[in-house]
Amino acid sequence: MAETETRTRTGATTTRTAVRLEAVTKDFGTVRAVDAVDLTVREGEFFSLLGPSGSGKTTLLRLIAGFEQPTAGRIELAGEDVTATPPNRRDAHTVFQDYALFPHMSVEQNAAYALTVRGVRKAERLARAREALTTVRLDGFATRRPAELSGGQRQRVALARALVDRPAVLLLDEPLGALDLALRQEMQTELKELQRTTGITFLLVTHDQDEALTMSDRIAVVRDGRIEQTGPPVEVYERPATAFVAGFVGTTNLLRGEAAVRVVGRPGTYSIRPERILLTDPAEPPAEAAASSDGRRTVTGRVTDIVHAGAHTRFTIALPHGDRLTVLRQNLTGLPQSARRDGEIGLSWDEKDAFPVPS
């Protein structure tokens, strides 16, 4: 598999491989959870496996960690074949969603646990535990117990425990899933900064599209045990490789067949992101989608639903012949007068924003 240079969020350019999967397959009885997956994660990347529940992303993480053995294929860490290597001998640590902290231990003891198991001298392990706690901004919490901490603080203890042994790869299994929205967004920022600071390769498993898009250098979209597309967040969002990726990563208007001909003006399958469509007051706009001289398409529709979601408003617009489009509009200025339920509204978008998607 050819290597190409990648610039990570730390600003470094690297071609060295941290994780490589070659034709990795995992069967559970008659169920194929992972199907001949090839994957390369480069050193120093913040890489995310994104997919719905049951897509196989957590199984992939467990295979990399060594908690599961592949039915077929090869797994490498830093160029070394670790396919048959047990978890405790792999240079990778895992942070789980439930954190798995020991309630009877202090924060410092939890952070030092991996070093305690390895028999590291007390003075050294405590010094390294304190260093890890300082890295995650918990240096003043060493003597507390997990029950005395907030959800975000417990998550940081779990991170410190994983970082104390200075692994080459940190595996994160939906670590923010149990947090509320505000705390989850705060921890996303902290995780990104932590990855920049340490330079450790982060491999995150998540079903949260916003989480993957905002945190990652690259994303692999997983479906039915296979990888549908791998690339930087902007590429995956703006140029989806399949209809599944277009529909799963963010919100889109997916138009096929006759609907594509009516709305886009040509046959095929197309994705139009809702934020790319403008709402206007209809001044004798066309009843059928039509191209204009400035490379835009316009059409009239009827507003069937309006959902206010804080920073933006989502509109559902019924077009002639029963086609529907979703439109997202940031709440920066007032809406057109016709942007009301059952109102006639004009729609406009750049023809280039109808991105062709392979069927």
Side-chain angles (χ1 to χ4, degrees), residues 51-299:
S53 298
S55 61
K57 58 189 186 299
T58 296
T59 301
L60 279 169
L61 191 82
R62 292 178 61 82
L63 287 164
I64 295 167
F67 300 135
E68 301 286 353
Q69 289 296 304
T71 305
R74 175 186 174 95
I75 300 171
E76 293 181 2
L77 293 179
E80 179 185 351
D81 186 352
V82 297
T83 309
T85 303
N88 63 335
R89 293 178 54 197
R90 300 190 185 194
D91 197 6
H93 287 184
T94 306
V95 177
F96 299 99
Q97 183 173 336
D98 62 1
Y99 314 143
L101 301 178
F102 297 106
H104 62 287
M105 292 184 181
S106 68
V107 165
E108 185 177 74
Q109 290 169 331
N110 268 284
Y113 180 74
L115 303 179
T116 303
V117 171
R118 287 177 48 199
V120 175
R121 291 182 301 108
K122 183 176 181 180
E124 181 182 349
R125 71 173 182 257
L126 291 181
R128 286 171 60 179
R130 289 165 188 156
E131 179 185 353
L133 290 172
T134 299
T135 301
V136 299
R137 300 192 293 112
L138 282 179
D139 41 321
F141 293 76
T143 60
R144 296 194 189 184
R145 299 289 176 90
E148 301 174 90
L149 304 177
S150 68
Q153 289 166 342
R154 288 195 293 272
Q155 200 260 9
R156 290 204 290 269
V157 175
L159 283 169
R161 184 177 60 186
L163 293 169
V164 73
D165 209 18
R166 300 162 188 165
V169 180
L170 188 63
L171 306 172
L172 301 140
D173 187 10
E174 305 209 42
L176 310 182
L179 306 180
D180 62 55
L181 178 60
L183 183 54
R184 189 161 68 244
Q185 292 174 337
E186 177 185 339
M187 290 306 302
Q188 288 173 11
T189 301
E190 291 194 13
L191 277 177
K192 286 192 293 184
E193 182 59 33
L194 183 62
Q195 196 272 332
R196 290 191 191 101
T197 302
T198 62
I200 293 173
T201 304
F202 277 28
L203 180 55
L204 171 74
V205 161
T206 182
H207 65 272
D208 188 312
Q209 308 148 31
D210 291 338
E211 195 167 279
L213 290 169
T214 57
M215 296 171 68
S216 310
D217 294 311
R218 288 193 302 146
I219 296 170
V221 182
V222 185
R223 179 194 187 195
D224 295 337
R226 299 181 180 183
I227 292 178
E228 295 263 314
Q229 183 176 359
T230 301
V234 171
E235 179 182 303
V236 172
Y237 184 82
E238 298 287 354
R239 297 183 291 280
T242 67
F244 172 79
V245 174
F248 184 76
V249 181
T251 303
T252 197
N253 295 288
L254 202 61
L255 300 161
R256 298 182 174 95
E258 291 299 319
V261 174
R262 287 191 295 267
V263 177
V264 180
R266 50 192 184 273
T269 301
Y270 297 88
S271 167
I272 306 177
R273 294 295 182 182
E275 67 273 15
R276 299 300 179 87
I277 302 174
L278 301 181
L279 297 176
T280 62
D281 282 317
E284 297 185 6
E288 299 281 350
S292 61
S293 59
D294 59 357
R296 299 189 67 82
R297 288 188 70 82
T298 57
V299 69

Side-chain angles (χ1 to χ4, degrees), residues 5-66:
E5 286 192 343
T6 291
R7 183 169 297 277
T8 67
R9 290 184 184 273
T10 62
T13 301
T14 179
T15 59
R16 290 184 293 185
T17 299
V19 180
R20 187 195 299 274
L21 275 60
E22 296 180 353
V24 170
T25 296
K26 178 62 179 178
D27 295 331
F28 293 100
T30 60
V31 176
R32 177 150 294 183
V34 174
D35 191 1
V37 165
D38 293 320
L39 178 69
T40 298
V41 180
R42 300 183 183 94
E43 187 179 88
E45 276 193 303
F46 197 126
F47 192 97
S48 292
L49 294 171
L50 173 66
S53 298
S55 61
K57 58 189 186 299
T58 296
T59 301
L60 279 169
L61 191 82
R62 292 178 61 82
L63 287 164
I64 295 167

